[in-house]
């Protein structure tokens, strides 16, 4: 091993070290990433080529007429070209959906969130120094960088922000989802988002394919490997990470105390138990932002969850013109069932018939679909936090059987009360309260009053 | 073009948006711990006030958002459904629901 201790900051290398490091290869990209990269590159190439030829309106046209004629001729007609553009786009979305679903943990959470877009302080300094150096105003050394440098991170950040827009607007345009206004907006957004990515893409391609210093980065996208010297000089923090990991493995295999330490490793290494603990904590540390936020079994702080819930509710008002709810949705499911079994009864009943207008399904309503989403969202959240289990939630002094009976009684009261008040805690108290409905606030007070009073009588159920 | 946007949605779009909003609703409710009956009822024994905190934080965020958007003219309040007030039925319903809440654990 050429380094007795791993340096904390890049140090000048001896000639032997340079020679040795230039020979040694370390792995930078997983084969799945490489495949995805070239798939992505192909998609962008074909989509940009056909997309440019598709813009025929004289106001927006960016490609010369002869280019449009050539590409159109290649496909036979404009309709074929459009069909091809859409087909490639949908394939692209599908591949990303599959990749995002199955590779979520390994690639998206780890690769993207932590390594590709998380800018740290060194990165900001890097961006400033780099700009000054390009302008010839500074000779300061660049701060050490992780596996991706700050410029790459900025590019990634923009691409990740724009890609969903490109995908969504593309789908809206292709299938004419929504009205004419929405499609018109989608067209503009599609151009703008692609334009942003394209401007970054120019630099990306120049850096990868032309810029001599980054030759190693280009070849790493084919072989997956870079030589150590390049890693040391361009991505020092990542190089250090790799080296530390190598030492840990070595140590685990040899079982003897080596020199591990983030700041030079002069501290005596604790026994194997200690180092194993170190490894796990470090893994927890790099396991990251995503894990800390979504995978921990503890609930979120109430104010954080409250803001999330508030934003969802606000978006519901903006998009749907009504609040979130629950009991109204259940009512509609019931009416649908009833009008299937006994349509005459429903038609004669003044309450049910309000929901079952002729020619319109009682199920064609926001709340009906929202409830399906609620089940899915709650499930996903619980699943991520390892909270999924079947259990009877009760205090220690009551049997599960009594809880079932009480739950049924409580459910009947809740259901009746909710429909009497024209809403439940979600639909009336939360949504109505937010738009200052007087009845909603009266309802909320009543709920809490009854809850606090009733709590005394059923204390055996809960405490 | 001002919000609410639902009149512009096609039927498919309407369903997709509804499902998505519901997804986030369920997600944040579970994140807050509303899937646990014990946590929900703990506030009535003065043990854990997260339900109140979550609910009122959400109400305040939405209230401010709606107020600002309406004041700026981006949200057409005449198109937004505000629950009607029927005072006595709503108080009675609230009492029943509150009793059911604590008995059944919601």
């Amino acid at each position: 091993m050429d380094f007795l201790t791993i340096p904390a900051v890049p140090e000048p290398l001896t000639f032997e070290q340079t020679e040795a490091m230039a020979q040694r290869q370390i792995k930078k990209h997983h084969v799945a990433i490489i495949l995805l990269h070239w798939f992505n590159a192909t998609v962008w190439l074909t989509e940009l080529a056909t997309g440019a030829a598709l813009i025929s309106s004289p106001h927006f046209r960016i490609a010369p007429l002869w280019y449009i004629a050539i590409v159109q001729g290649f496909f036979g007609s404009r309709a074929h070209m459009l069909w091809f553009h859409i087909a490639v786009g949908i394939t692209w979305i599908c591949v990303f959906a599959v990749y995002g679903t199955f590779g979520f943990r390994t690639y998206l959470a780890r690769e993207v969130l932590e390594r590709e877009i998380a800018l740290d302080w060194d990165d900001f300094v890097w961006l400033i120094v780099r700009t000054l150096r390009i302008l010839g105003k500074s000779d300061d050394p660049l701060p050490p960088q992780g596996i991706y440098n700050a410029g790459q991170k900025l590019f990634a950040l923009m691409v990740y922000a724009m890609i969903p827009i490109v995908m969504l607007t593309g789908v809206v345009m292709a299938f004419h989802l929504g009205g004419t206004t929405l499609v018109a907006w989608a067209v503009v957004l599609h151009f703008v988002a692609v334009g942003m990515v394209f401007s970054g893409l120019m630099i990306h391609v120049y850096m990868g394919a032309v810029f001599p210093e980054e030759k190693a980065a280009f070849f790493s996208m084919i072989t997956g490997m870079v030589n150590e010297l390049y890693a040391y000089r361009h991505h020092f923090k990542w190089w250090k990470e790799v080296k530390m990991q190598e030492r840990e493995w070595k140590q685990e295999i040899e079982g003897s105390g080596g020199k591990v330490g983030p700041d030079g490793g002069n501290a005596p290494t604790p026994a194997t138990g200690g180092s194993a603990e170190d490894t796990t904590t470090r893994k927890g540390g790099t396991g990251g932002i995503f894990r800390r936020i979504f995978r921990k079994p503890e609930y979120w702080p109430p104010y954080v969850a409250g803001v999330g819930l508030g934003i969802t509710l606000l978006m519901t008002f903006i998009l749907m013109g009504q609040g979130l709810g629950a009991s109204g949705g259940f009512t509609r499911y019931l009416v649908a069932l009833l009008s299937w079994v006994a349509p005459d009864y429903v038609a004669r009943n003044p309450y049910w018939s309000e929901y079952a207008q002729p020619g319109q399904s009682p199920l064609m309503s926001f709340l009906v679909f929202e409830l399906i989403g609620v089940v899915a969202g709650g499930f996903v959240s619980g699943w991520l936090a390892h909270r999924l289990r079947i259990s009877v939630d009760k205090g220690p002094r009551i049997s599960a059987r009594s809880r079932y009976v009480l739950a049924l009684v409580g459910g009947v009261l809740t259901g009746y009360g909710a429909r009497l008040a024209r809403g439940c805690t979600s639909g009336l108290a939360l949504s109505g309260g937010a738009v200052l409905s007087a009845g909603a606030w009266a309802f909320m007070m009543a709920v809490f009053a009854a809850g606090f009073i009733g709590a005394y009588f059923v204390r055996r159920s809960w405490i | 073009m001002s919000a609410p946007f639902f009149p512009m949605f096609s039927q498919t779009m309407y369903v997709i948006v509804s499902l998505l909003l519901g997804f986030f609703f369920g997600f944040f409710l579970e994140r807050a711990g509303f899937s646990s009956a014990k946590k929900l009822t703990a506030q009535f024994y003065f043990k854990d006030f997260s339900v109140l905190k979550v609910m009122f934080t959400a109400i305040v965020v939405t209230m401010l958002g709606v107020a600002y958007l309406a004041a700026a003219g981006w949200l057409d309040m005449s198109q937004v459904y505000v629950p009607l007030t029927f005072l006595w039925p709503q108080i009675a319903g609230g009492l029943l629901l509150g009793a059911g809440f604590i008995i059944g654990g919601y």
Side-chain angles (χ1 to χ4, degrees):
Chain A
M1 198 153 270
D2 47 341
F3 285 94
L4 287 175
T5 55
I6 296 168
V9 290
E11 285 169 1
L13 300 168
T14 64
F15 181 70
E16 290 81 33
Q17 277 174 333
T18 320
E19 288 289 288
M21 285 168 83
Q23 292 303 315
R24 212 174 308 128
Q25 301 281 311
I26 48 182
K27 189 178 166 190
K28 186 170 183 191
H29 299 295
H30 192 277
V31 70
I33 302 276
I34 298 174
L35 286 175
L36 189 78
H37 173 263
W38 292 112
F39 168 74
N40 213 359
T42 319
V43 167
W44 275 97
L45 198 67
T46 49
E47 291 295 77
L48 284 174
T50 49
L54 275 170
I55 310 169
S56 49
S57 148
H59 298 294
F60 292 114
R61 197 161 52 81
I62 42 169
L65 284 169
W66 56 263
Y67 174 81
I68 298 179
I70 289 175
V71 180
Q72 210 152 307
F74 182 74
F75 286 99
S77 72
R78 193 173 181 280
H80 280 142
M81 186 162 70
L82 181 63
W83 183 85
F84 177 81
H85 188 82
I86 293 173
V88 173
I90 289 174
T91 318
W92 184 56
I93 294 175
C94 290
V95 167
F96 266 84
V98 171
Y99 175 84
T101 314
F102 293 100
F104 186 76
R105 247 165 132 167
T106 327
Y107 305 118
L108 279 190
R110 289 265 165 87
E111 279 285 326
V112 174
L113 285 181
E114 274 170 39
R115 299 168 125 194
E116 286 186 23
I117 59 176
L119 287 156
D120 59 18
W121 179 244
D122 279 341
D123 292 332
F124 285 111
V125 180
W126 188 91
L127 284 173
I128 295 164
V129 176
R130 184 85 234 182
T131 319
L132 289 176
R133 278 169 71 119
I134 290 172
L135 296 174
K137 303 254 177 188
S138 164
D139 281 326
D140 291 346
L142 290 162
Q145 293 289 296
I147 186 162
Y148 297 107
N149 68 37
Q152 292 171 315
K153 282 180 182 175
L154 268 192
F155 175 58
L157 204 62
M158 190 187 64
V159 170
Y160 286 118
M162 291 304 141
I163 279 182
I165 300 179
V166 174
M167 287 178 170
L168 261 176
T169 52
V171 171
V172 168
M173 284 193 286
F175 301 106
H176 288 270
L177 299 176
T180 343
T181 338
L182 203 66
V183 175
W185 275 103
V187 174
V188 177
L189 277 174
H190 200 72
F191 291 175
V192 172
V194 170
M196 303 262 293
V197 174
F198 185 73
S199 58
L201 209 56
M202 303 281 275
I203 303 171
H204 178 74
V205 170
Y206 171 76
M207 282 296 190
V210 186
F211 199 59
E213 269 185 59
E214 292 290 335
K215 270 271 165 346
F218 177 74
F219 286 107
S220 79
M221 257 308 157
I222 298 169
T223 61
M225 312 292 270
V226 289
N227 73 62
E228 220 189 304
L229 191 64
Y230 167 81
Y232 186 86
R233 292 212 167 130
H234 294 259
H235 302 278
F236 178 78
K237 284 199 280 192
W238 171 60
W239 173 85
K240 200 167 80 178
E241 217 174 274
V242 172
K243 281 287 141 184
M244 304 277 281
Q245 220 164 32
E246 260 177 28
R247 281 203 182 185
E248 257 163 39
W249 290 337
K250 218 177 150 102
Q251 220 179 358
E252 263 170 43
I253 293 163
E254 289 168 359
S256 64
K259 292 175 186 70
V260 180
D263 44 27
N266 290 327
T269 320
T272 19
S275 76
E277 205 178 37
D278 273 3
T279 322
T280 46
T281 46
R282 188 162 300 125
K283 269 183 192 149
T286 50
I289 302 167
F290 176 78
R291 179 166 301 188
R292 277 201 295 278
I293 298 177
F294 292 107
R295 308 294 316 242
K296 282 208 311 192
E298 293 87 35
Y299 293 117
W300 276 1
Y303 298 116
V304 176
V307 170
L309 190 59
I311 290 170
T312 310
L313 184 56
L314 181 60
M315 285 313 294
T316 312
F317 276 115
I318 292 173
L319 290 169
M320 311 307 284
Q322 60 177 303
L324 296 157
S327 60
F330 287 116
T331 310
R332 286 180 176 275
Y333 280 114
L334 183 65
V335 173
L337 189 70
L338 277 179
S339 42
W340 182 52
V341 180
D344 294 339
Y345 167 68
V346 171
R348 267 184 282 116
N349 183 303
Y351 185 69
W352 301 131
S353 60
E354 205 181 306
Y355 292 94
Q357 303 293 340
Q360 197 189 357
S361 165
L363 290 181
M364 194 53 219
S365 155
F366 165 65
L367 292 176
V368 168
F369 305 110
E370 179 236 55
L371 279 180
I372 300 173
V374 167
V375 175
F379 182 86
V380 168
S381 171
W383 169 63
L384 284 175
H386 312 284
R387 283 195 283 259
L388 291 187
R389 63 184 159 273
I390 296 174
S391 71
V392 182
D393 228 1
K394 64 182 188 62
R397 296 190 290 165
I398 188 169
S399 69
R401 190 191 295 255
S402 315
R403 267 292 288 131
Y404 284 130
V405 175
L406 284 176
L408 183 66
V409 173
V412 171
L413 286 173
T414 307
Y416 188 80
R419 288 337 287 162
L420 182 62
R422 294 169 63 112
C424 52
T425 36
S426 311
L428 187 56
L430 186 67
S431 307
V435 287
L436 296 173
S437 158
W441 286 92
F443 171 79
M444 206 186 314
M445 302 299 160
V447 170
F448 282 109
F452 279 110
I453 296 166
Y456 176 76
F457 300 100
V458 291
R459 60 191 180 282
R460 283 178 68 90
S461 297
W462 305 111
I463 52 172
Chain B
M1 187 178 68
S2 72
F5 294 116
F6 68 93
M8 294 190 301
F9 293 164
S10 69
Q11 206 162 41
T12 331
M13 188 79 175
Y14 189 85
V15 172
I16 293 171
V17 171
S18 304
L19 285 171
L20 267 179
L21 288 169
F23 181 89
F24 285 107
F25 185 34
F27 189 89
F28 287 119
L29 285 182
E30 208 285 335
R31 283 286 134 179
F34 283 26
S35 57
S36 155
K38 270 186 93 165
K39 200 172 168 73
L40 281 174
T41 49
Q43 61 177 331
F44 295 121
Y45 298 98
F46 302 98
K47 281 177 183 299
D48 178 354
F49 279 99
S50 23
V51 175
L52 268 173
K53 288 176 189 165
V54 172
M55 209 168 145
F56 281 85
T57 312
I59 288 179
V60 169
V61 168
T62 311
M63 205 187 273
L64 290 175
V66 168
Y68 287 136
L69 289 175
W74 289 337
L75 182 64
D76 180 5
M77 280 309 281
S78 67
Q79 293 282 312
V80 172
Y81 171 72
V82 176
L84 300 173
T85 298
F86 297 90
L87 204 54
W88 290 111
Q90 278 166 335
I91 290 174
L95 290 172
L96 282 174
L97 190 137
F101 191 157
I102 192 68
I103 294 171
Y106 222 1

